[in-house]
Amino acid sequence: MATGFDLENFLEMLAAERGAAENTLAGYRRDLEDFSDFLGRKKLADAHTDDLSAYLGDLNRRGFAETSQARRLSALKQFYKFLYSEGSREDDPTRTLSAPKKRAGLPKVLSLEDVDRLIETARAATATTHKSTAARLRAHRMYTLIEVLYATGLRVSELVALPVSAAQRDARLIEIRGKGGKERLVPLSPPAQAAMKDFVALRSAEGAYENSPWLFPSHGGSGHLTRQHFGRDLKDLAIAAGLDAGKVSPHVLRHAFASHLLQNGADLRVVQQLLGHADISTTQIYTHVLDERLRELVESAHPLARK
């Protein structure tokens, strides 16, 4: 294991000038000694850019996560910048190297069965006997929210701010004003349409929120249900449905809407339009769904695959 005079000077500088803690110094030492071991007989201070690139490739082959690779590269950059500033090198071999980009995590997606359980649990709650009118209204509101969200894939901010007029028109499409004031048309499923109309009719029959312009009104400052309130109610519904509440949120249901459409043959551009994404690159987080569907198609339809 190579340490070297330059490495010790570097660690001493970190401790003296930057006040680095013992754990931090130990981490730098491990990272730099690992690179030194990779170099073999070549001295740490004599490494070239090609050596560093090869080392990063080796880290990748060894299964290091992007964050771990980036940390190693950061340690190397600081080390060689130190050598350059001290005059021990005439160049910085890390100058043109960049950390690997972190892959975008795949969105959490509920299965069709999970969504069905949520919807059925919410629907069942509307049919039970409630202690008060307010409790009955809350149950119907929750059922309407989840039906509309899964039917449309709306952003939660768009969902809670729907106007009551959206339920008063006999229309299969509703107009949504999304980010940047851009408008789009989103189709409504028959169950979502029925839930909206039933909720508004119940409100009217109970004399609640008669003059509110919002589909999901509240007594708060905005006049409509807040994103946070809906999020909390959705967690409670998930628990009632026997699901992990930590894996259920309004945004997860939006992802489920998009993923289930793609699984059933929808075009990525259509999903982009329905979600209100300005750029197709944002929608491409769902390409893993398309990849899986293509794989299944090849395995089921290709004559060689059947052999």
Side-chain angles (χ1 to χ4, degrees), residues 143-211:
Y143 171 59
T144 305
L145 281 161
I146 198 167
E147 277 282 16
V148 175
L149 176 54
Y150 184 60
T152 61
L154 295 180
R155 298 179 179 92
V156 63
S157 56
E158 298 168 343
L159 174 69
V160 297
L162 281 174
V164 71
S165 59
Q168 294 171 339
R169 295 190 299 267
D170 186 16
R172 297 180 180 178
L173 297 171
I174 56 173
E175 188 176 280
I176 302 298
R177 185 179 294 274
K179 286 186 175 180
K182 293 183 178 179
E183 296 180 349
R184 69 186 190 278
L185 291 175
V186 177
L188 275 175
S189 66
Q193 293 180 60
M196 290 166 66
K197 290 181 178 179
D198 289 347
F199 177 54
V200 171
L202 178 62
R203 279 172 42 186
S204 178
E206 298 293 348
Y209 300 106
E210 292 181 13
N211 299 318

Coordinates of all heavy atoms in Angstrom, one line a residue, residues 143-211:
Y143 N -63.0 9.9 -2.2 CA -63.3 9.0 -3.4 C -63.2 9.7 -4.7 O -62.6 9.3 -5.7 CB -64.6 8.3 -3.2 CG -65.1 7.6 -4.4 CD1 -64.3 6.5 -4.9 CD2 -66.2 7.9 -5.1 CE1 -64.7 5.8 -6.1 CE2 -66.6 7.2 -6.3 CZ -65.8 6.2 -6.7 OH -66.2 5.5 -7.9
T144 N -63.7 11.0 -4.7 CA -63.7 11.8 -5.9 C -62.3 12.1 -6.3 O -61.9 12.1 -7.5 CB -64.6 13.0 -5.8 OG1 -65.9 12.7 -5.4 CG2 -64.6 13.8 -7.1
L145 N -61.5 12.6 -5.3 CA -60.1 12.9 -5.6 C -59.3 11.8 -6.2 O -58.6 12.0 -7.2 CB -59.5 13.3 -4.2 CG -59.8 14.7 -3.7 CD1 -59.5 14.8 -2.2 CD2 -59.0 15.8 -4.5
I146 N -59.4 10.6 -5.6 CA -58.6 9.5 -6.1 C -59.1 9.0 -7.5 O -58.3 8.6 -8.4 CB -58.6 8.4 -5.1 CG1 -57.4 7.5 -5.4 CG2 -59.8 7.6 -5.0 CD1 -57.0 6.5 -4.3
E147 N -60.4 9.0 -7.7 CA -60.9 8.7 -9.1 C -60.4 9.6 -10.1 O -59.9 9.2 -11.2 CB -62.4 8.7 -9.1 CG -63.1 7.4 -8.5 CD -63.1 6.2 -9.5 OE1 -62.3 6.3 -10.5 OE2 -63.8 5.3 -9.3
V148 N -60.5 10.9 -9.8 CA -60.1 11.9 -10.8 C -58.6 11.9 -11.0 O -58.1 12.0 -12.1 CB -60.5 13.4 -10.4 CG1 -60.0 14.4 -11.3 CG2 -62.1 13.4 -10.3
L149 N -57.8 11.7 -9.9 CA -56.4 11.7 -10.0 C -55.9 10.6 -10.9 O -55.0 10.8 -11.8 CB -55.7 11.7 -8.7 CG -54.2 11.6 -8.6 CD1 -53.5 12.7 -9.4 CD2 -53.7 11.6 -7.2
Y150 N -56.4 9.4 -10.7 CA -55.9 8.2 -11.4 C -56.5 8.3 -12.9 O -55.8 7.7 -13.8 CB -56.4 6.9 -10.7 CG -55.8 5.7 -11.4 CD1 -54.5 5.5 -11.6 CD2 -56.7 4.7 -12.0 CE1 -54.0 4.4 -12.3 CE2 -56.2 3.6 -12.6 CZ -54.9 3.4 -12.8 OH -54.4 2.3 -13.4
A151 N -57.6 8.9 -13.1 CA -58.2 9.0 -14.4 C -57.4 10.0 -15.3 O -57.4 9.9 -16.5 CB -59.6 9.4 -14.3
T152 N -56.8 11.0 -14.6 CA -56.2 12.1 -15.4 C -54.7 12.3 -15.3 O -54.1 12.9 -16.1 CB -56.9 13.5 -14.9 OG1 -56.6 13.6 -13.5 CG2 -58.4 13.4 -15.1
G153 N -54.1 11.8 -14.2 CA -52.7 12.0 -14.0 C -52.4 13.5 -13.7 O -51.2 13.9 -13.9
L154 N -53.3 14.2 -13.1 CA -53.1 15.7 -12.9 C -52.0 15.8 -11.8 O -51.8 15.0 -10.9 CB -54.3 16.3 -12.4 CG -55.5 16.5 -13.3 CD1 -56.7 17.2 -12.6 CD2 -55.1 17.2 -14.6
R155 N -51.3 16.9 -11.9 CA -50.4 17.3 -10.7 C -51.3 17.6 -9.6 O -52.5 18.1 -9.7 CB -49.6 18.6 -11.1 CG -48.6 18.4 -12.3 CD -47.9 19.7 -12.5 NE -47.0 19.6 -13.6 CZ -47.2 19.8 -14.9 NH1 -48.4 20.3 -15.2 NH2 -46.3 19.7 -15.8
V156 N -50.8 17.3 -8.4 CA -51.7 17.5 -7.2 C -52.2 19.0 -7.1 O -53.3 19.2 -6.6 CB -51.0 17.0 -5.9 CG1 -49.7 17.8 -5.6 CG2 -51.9 17.0 -4.7
S157 N -51.3 19.9 -7.4 CA -51.7 21.3 -7.4 C -52.8 21.6 -8.4 O -53.7 22.5 -8.1 CB -50.5 22.2 -7.7 OG -49.9 21.9 -8.9
E158 N -52.8 20.9 -9.5 CA -53.9 21.1 -10.5 C -55.2 20.4 -10.0 O -56.3 21.0 -10.2 CB -53.5 20.5 -11.8 CG -52.3 21.1 -12.5 CD -51.7 20.4 -13.6 OE1 -52.0 19.2 -13.8 OE2 -50.9 20.9 -14.4
L159 N -55.1 19.3 -9.3 CA -56.2 18.5 -8.9 C -57.0 19.3 -7.8 O -58.2 19.5 -7.9 CB -55.7 17.2 -8.3 CG -56.8 16.3 -7.7 CD1 -57.8 15.8 -8.7 CD2 -56.2 15.1 -6.9
V160 N -56.3 19.7 -6.8 CA -57.0 20.4 -5.6 C -57.6 21.7 -6.0 O -58.5 22.2 -5.4 CB -56.1 20.5 -4.4 CG1 -55.6 19.2 -3.9 CG2 -54.9 21.4 -4.7
A161 N -57.1 22.3 -7.1 CA -57.6 23.6 -7.5 C -58.6 23.5 -8.7 O -58.8 24.5 -9.4 CB -56.4 24.5 -7.9
L162 N -59.2 22.4 -8.9 CA -60.2 22.2 -10.0 C -61.4 23.1 -9.7 O -61.8 23.1 -8.5 CB -60.6 20.8 -10.2 CG -59.6 19.9 -10.9 CD1 -60.2 18.4 -10.9 CD2 -59.5 20.3 -12.4
P163 N -61.9 23.8 -10.7 CA -63.1 24.6 -10.4 C -64.4 23.6 -10.4 O -64.4 22.6 -11.0 CB -63.2 25.5 -11.7 CG -62.5 24.7 -12.7 CD -61.4 23.9 -12.1
V164 N -65.4 24.1 -9.7 CA -66.6 23.3 -9.6 C -67.3 23.1 -10.9 O -68.0 22.1 -11.2 CB -67.6 23.9 -8.5 CG1 -68.2 25.2 -9.1 CG2 -68.6 22.9 -8.1
S165 N -67.0 24.0 -11.8 CA -67.6 23.9 -13.2 C -67.1 22.7 -13.9 O -67.8 22.2 -14.8 CB -67.2 25.2 -14.0 OG -65.8 25.3 -14.1
A166 N -66.0 22.1 -13.5 CA -65.5 20.9 -14.2 C -66.5 19.7 -14.0 O -66.5 18.8 -14.8 CB -64.1 20.5 -13.6
A167 N -67.2 19.8 -12.9 CA -68.2 18.7 -12.6 C -69.6 19.0 -13.1 O -70.5 18.2 -13.1 CB -68.3 18.4 -11.1
Q168 N -69.8 20.3 -13.5 CA -71.2 20.7 -13.9 C -71.4 20.6 -15.4 O -72.5 20.8 -15.9 CB -71.4 22.1 -13.4 CG -71.4 22.2 -11.9 CD -71.4 23.7 -11.4 OE1 -71.0 24.6 -12.1 NE2 -71.9 23.9 -10.1
R169 N -70.3 20.3 -16.1 CA -70.5 20.2 -17.6 C -70.5 18.7 -17.9 O -69.7 17.9 -17.3 CB -69.3 20.8 -18.3 CG -69.3 22.3 -18.2 CD -68.3 22.9 -19.2 NE -66.9 22.4 -18.9 CZ -66.1 23.1 -18.2 NH1 -66.4 24.2 -17.6 NH2 -64.8 22.6 -18.0
D170 N -71.3 18.3 -18.8 CA -71.4 16.9 -19.3 C -70.3 16.7 -20.3 O -70.6 16.6 -21.5 CB -72.8 16.5 -19.8 CG -72.9 15.0 -20.1 OD1 -72.0 14.3 -19.6 OD2 -73.8 14.6 -20.8
A171 N -69.0 16.7 -19.9 CA -68.0 16.7 -20.9 C -67.0 15.6 -20.6 O -66.8 15.2 -19.4 CB -67.2 18.0 -20.9
R172 N -66.5 15.0 -21.6 CA -65.5 13.9 -21.5 C -64.1 14.5 -21.3 O -63.1 13.7 -21.0 CB -65.5 12.9 -22.6 CG -66.9 12.2 -22.8 CD -66.8 11.3 -24.0 NE -68.1 10.6 -24.1 CZ -68.4 9.7 -25.1 NH1 -67.5 9.5 -26.1 NH2 -69.5 9.1 -25.2
L173 N -63.9 15.7 -21.6 CA -62.6 16.4 -21.4 C -62.7 17.6 -20.5 O -63.8 18.3 -20.5 CB -62.1 16.9 -22.8 CG -61.9 15.8 -23.9 CD1 -61.6 16.5 -25.2 CD2 -60.7 15.0 -23.5
I174 N -61.7 17.8 -19.7 CA -61.6 19.0 -18.9 C -60.4 19.8 -19.3 O -59.4 19.2 -19.7 CB -61.7 18.7 -17.4 CG1 -60.5 17.8 -17.0 CG2 -63.0 18.2 -16.9 CD1 -60.4 17.6 -15.5
E175 N -60.5 21.1 -19.2 CA -59.4 22.0 -19.6 C -58.6 22.3 -18.3 O -59.1 22.7 -17.3 CB -59.9 23.3 -20.2 CG -58.8 24.1 -20.8 CD -59.3 25.3 -21.5 OE1 -59.8 25.2 -22.7 OE2 -59.4 26.4 -20.9
I176 N -57.3 22.0 -18.4 CA -56.4 22.2 -17.3 C -55.4 23.3 -17.6 O -54.8 23.3 -18.7 CB -55.6 20.9 -16.9 CG1 -56.6 19.8 -16.6 CG2 -54.6 21.2 -15.7 CD1 -57.5 20.1 -15.4
R177 N -55.2 24.3 -16.7 CA -54.2 25.3 -16.8 C -53.0 24.8 -16.0 O -53.1 24.9 -14.7 CB -54.7 26.7 -16.4 CG -53.6 27.8 -16.6 CD -54.2 29.1 -16.2 NE -55.4 29.5 -17.1 CZ -55.2 30.1 -18.2 NH1 -54.0 30.5 -18.7 NH2 -56.3 30.5 -18.9
G178 N -51.9 24.4 -16.6 CA -50.8 23.8 -15.9 C -49.7 24.8 -15.7 O -49.9 26.0 -15.6
K179 N -48.4 24.3 -15.6 CA -47.3 25.1 -15.3 C -47.1 26.1 -16.4 O -47.3 25.8 -17.6 CB -46.0 24.2 -15.2 CG -45.9 23.4 -13.9 CD -44.6 22.7 -13.8 CE -44.5 22.0 -12.5 NZ -43.1 21.3 -12.4
G180 N -46.7 27.3 -16.0 CA -46.5 28.4 -17.0 C -47.7 28.9 -17.7 O -47.7 29.5 -18.7
G181 N -48.9 28.5 -17.1 CA -50.1 29.0 -17.7 C -50.5 28.2 -18.9 O -51.5 28.6 -19.6
K182 N -49.8 27.2 -19.3 CA -50.2 26.4 -20.5 C -51.4 25.6 -20.2 O -51.6 24.9 -19.2 CB -49.0 25.5 -20.9 CG -47.8 26.3 -21.3 CD -46.6 25.3 -21.8 CE -45.4 26.1 -22.2 NZ -44.3 25.2 -22.7
E183 N -52.3 25.6 -21.2 CA -53.5 24.8 -21.1 C -53.5 23.5 -21.9 O -52.8 23.4 -22.9 CB -54.7 25.7 -21.7 CG -54.9 27.0 -20.9 CD -56.1 27.8 -21.4 OE1 -56.5 27.5 -22.6 OE2 -56.5 28.7 -20.8
R184 N -54.2 22.5 -21.4 CA -54.2 21.2 -22.1 C -55.6 20.6 -21.7 O -56.2 20.9 -20.7 CB -53.1 20.3 -21.6 CG -53.2 19.8 -20.2 CD -51.9 19.0 -19.8 NE -52.0 18.3 -18.6 CZ -51.8 18.8 -17.4 NH1 -51.5 20.1 -17.3 NH2 -51.9 18.0 -16.3
L185 N -56.0 19.7 -22.6 CA -57.3 19.0 -22.4 C -56.9 17.6 -21.9 O -56.1 16.9 -22.4 CB -58.1 18.9 -23.7 CG -58.7 20.2 -24.2 CD1 -59.3 20.0 -25.6 CD2 -59.7 20.8 -23.3
V186 N -57.7 17.2 -20.9 CA -57.4 15.9 -20.2 C -58.8 15.1 -20.2 O -59.8 15.7 -19.8 CB -56.9 16.1 -18.8 CG1 -56.7 14.7 -18.1 CG2 -55.6 16.8 -18.8
P187 N -58.8 13.9 -20.7 CA -60.0 13.1 -20.7 C -60.4 12.6 -19.3 O -59.5 12.4 -18.5 CB -59.7 11.9 -21.6 CG -58.2 11.8 -21.6 CD -57.7 13.2 -21.4
L188 N -61.7 12.5 -19.1 CA -62.2 12.0 -17.8 C -62.9 10.7 -18.1 O -63.7 10.5 -19.0 CB -63.3 13.0 -17.3 CG -62.8 14.2 -16.4 CD1 -64.0 15.1 -16.1 CD2 -62.1 13.7 -15.2
S189 N -62.6 9.7 -17.2 CA -63.3 8.4 -17.3 C -64.7 8.5 -16.8 O -65.0 9.4 -16.0 CB -62.5 7.4 -16.5 OG -62.6 7.7 -15.1
P190 N -65.6 7.7 -17.2 CA -67.0 7.7 -16.7 C -67.1 7.6 -15.2 O -67.8 8.4 -14.5 CB -67.7 6.5 -17.4 CG -66.9 6.4 -18.7 CD -65.5 6.7 -18.3
P191 N -66.3 6.8 -14.5 CA -66.3 6.7 -13.0 C -65.9 8.1 -12.4 O -66.5 8.5 -11.4 CB -65.4 5.6 -12.6 CG -65.3 4.7 -13.8 CD -65.5 5.6 -15.0
A192 N -64.9 8.7 -13.0 CA -64.5 10.0 -12.5 C -65.5 11.1 -12.7 O -65.8 11.9 -11.8 CB -63.2 10.4 -13.1
Q193 N -66.2 11.1 -13.8 CA -67.3 12.0 -14.1 C -68.4 11.8 -13.1 O -68.9 12.8 -12.5 CB -67.8 11.9 -15.5 CG -66.8 12.3 -16.6 CD -67.5 12.1 -18.0 OE1 -68.5 12.6 -18.3 NE2 -66.9 11.2 -18.8
A194 N -68.8 10.6 -12.9 CA -69.9 10.3 -12.0 C -69.5 10.7 -10.5 O -70.4 11.2 -9.8 CB -70.2 8.8 -12.0
A195 N -68.3 10.4 -10.1 CA -67.9 10.7 -8.7 C -67.9 12.2 -8.5 O -68.4 12.7 -7.5 CB -66.5 10.2 -8.5
M196 N -67.5 13.0 -9.5 CA -67.5 14.5 -9.4 C -68.9 15.0 -9.3 O -69.2 15.8 -8.4 CB -66.8 15.1 -10.6 CG -65.3 14.9 -10.7 SD -64.6 15.3 -12.3 CE -64.8 17.0 -12.4
K197 N -69.8 14.5 -10.1 CA -71.2 15.0 -10.1 C -71.9 14.6 -8.8 O -72.7 15.4 -8.2 CB -72.0 14.4 -11.3 CG -71.5 15.1 -12.6 CD -72.3 14.5 -13.8 CE -71.9 15.2 -15.1 NZ -72.6 14.7 -16.3
D198 N -71.6 13.3 -8.3 CA -72.3 12.9 -7.1 C -71.8 13.7 -5.9 O -72.6 14.0 -5.0 CB -71.9 11.4 -6.8 CG -72.7 10.5 -7.8 OD1 -73.6 11.0 -8.5 OD2 -72.3 9.3 -7.9
F199 N -70.5 14.1 -5.9 CA -69.9 14.9 -4.8 C -70.5 16.2 -4.8 O -70.9 16.8 -3.7 CB -68.4 14.9 -4.9 CG -67.7 15.8 -3.9 CD1 -68.0 15.5 -2.5 CD2 -66.9 16.8 -4.2 CE1 -67.3 16.3 -1.5 CE2 -66.3 17.6 -3.3 CZ -66.5 17.3 -1.9
V200 N -70.7 16.9 -5.9 CA -71.2 18.2 -6.0 C -72.7 18.2 -5.6 O -73.2 19.1 -4.9 CB -71.1 18.8 -7.4 CG1 -71.8 20.1 -7.5 CG2 -69.6 19.1 -7.7
A201 N -73.4 17.1 -6.0 CA -74.8 17.0 -5.7 C -75.0 16.8 -4.2 O -75.9 17.3 -3.6 CB -75.4 15.8 -6.4
L202 N -74.1 16.0 -3.5 CA -74.1 15.8 -2.1 C -73.9 17.1 -1.4 O -74.6 17.5 -0.4 CB -73.1 14.8 -1.7 CG -73.0 14.5 -0.2 CD1 -74.3 13.9 0.4 CD2 -71.9 13.5 0.1
R203 N -72.9 17.9 -1.9 CA -72.6 19.2 -1.3 C -73.9 20.1 -1.3 O -74.2 20.8 -0.3 CB -71.5 19.9 -2.0 CG -70.1 19.5 -1.6 CD -69.1 20.1 -2.6 NE -69.3 21.5 -2.9 CZ -68.6 22.2 -3.8 NH1 -67.6 21.6 -4.5 NH2 -68.9 23.4 -4.1
S204 N -74.5 20.1 -2.5 CA -75.7 20.9 -2.6 C -76.8 20.5 -1.7 O -77.5 21.3 -1.1 CB -76.1 20.9 -4.1 OG -77.3 21.6 -4.3
A205 N -77.0 19.2 -1.6 CA -78.1 18.6 -0.8 C -77.9 19.0 0.7 O -78.8 19.2 1.4 CB -78.2 17.1 -1.0
E206 N -76.6 19.0 1.1 CA -76.3 19.3 2.5 C -76.1 20.8 2.7 O -75.9 21.2 3.9 CB -75.0 18.5 2.9 CG -75.1 17.0 2.8 CD -76.1 16.4 3.8 OE1 -76.5 17.2 4.7 OE2 -76.4 15.2 3.7
G207 N -76.2 21.6 1.7 CA -76.1 23.0 1.9 C -74.7 23.5 2.2 O -74.5 24.5 2.9
A208 N -73.7 22.7 1.7 CA -72.3 23.0 2.1 C -71.6 23.7 0.9 O -71.7 23.2 -0.2 CB -71.6 21.7 2.4
Y209 N -70.8 24.7 1.2 CA -70.0 25.4 0.2 C -70.8 25.8 -1.0 O -70.4 25.7 -2.2 CB -68.8 24.5 -0.2 CG -67.9 24.1 0.9 CD1 -67.9 22.8 1.4 CD2 -67.0 25.0 1.5 CE1 -67.1 22.5 2.5 CE2 -66.2 24.7 2.5 CZ -66.2 23.4 3.0 OH -65.4 23.0 4.0
E210 N -72.0 26.3 -0.8 CA -72.9 26.6 -1.9 C -72.3 27.7 -2.9 O -72.5 27.6 -4.1 CB -74.2 27.2 -1.4 CG -75.1 26.1 -0.7 CD -76.4 26.6 -0.2 OE1 -76.8 27.7 -0.7 OE2 -77.1 26.0 0.6
N211 N -71.5 28.6 -2.4 CA -71.0 29.7 -3.2 C -69.5 29.5 -3.6 O -68.9 30.4 -4.1 CB -71.2 31.0 -2.5 CG -72.6 31.3 -2.2 OD1 -73.5 31.1 -3.1 ND2 -72.9 31.8 -1.0

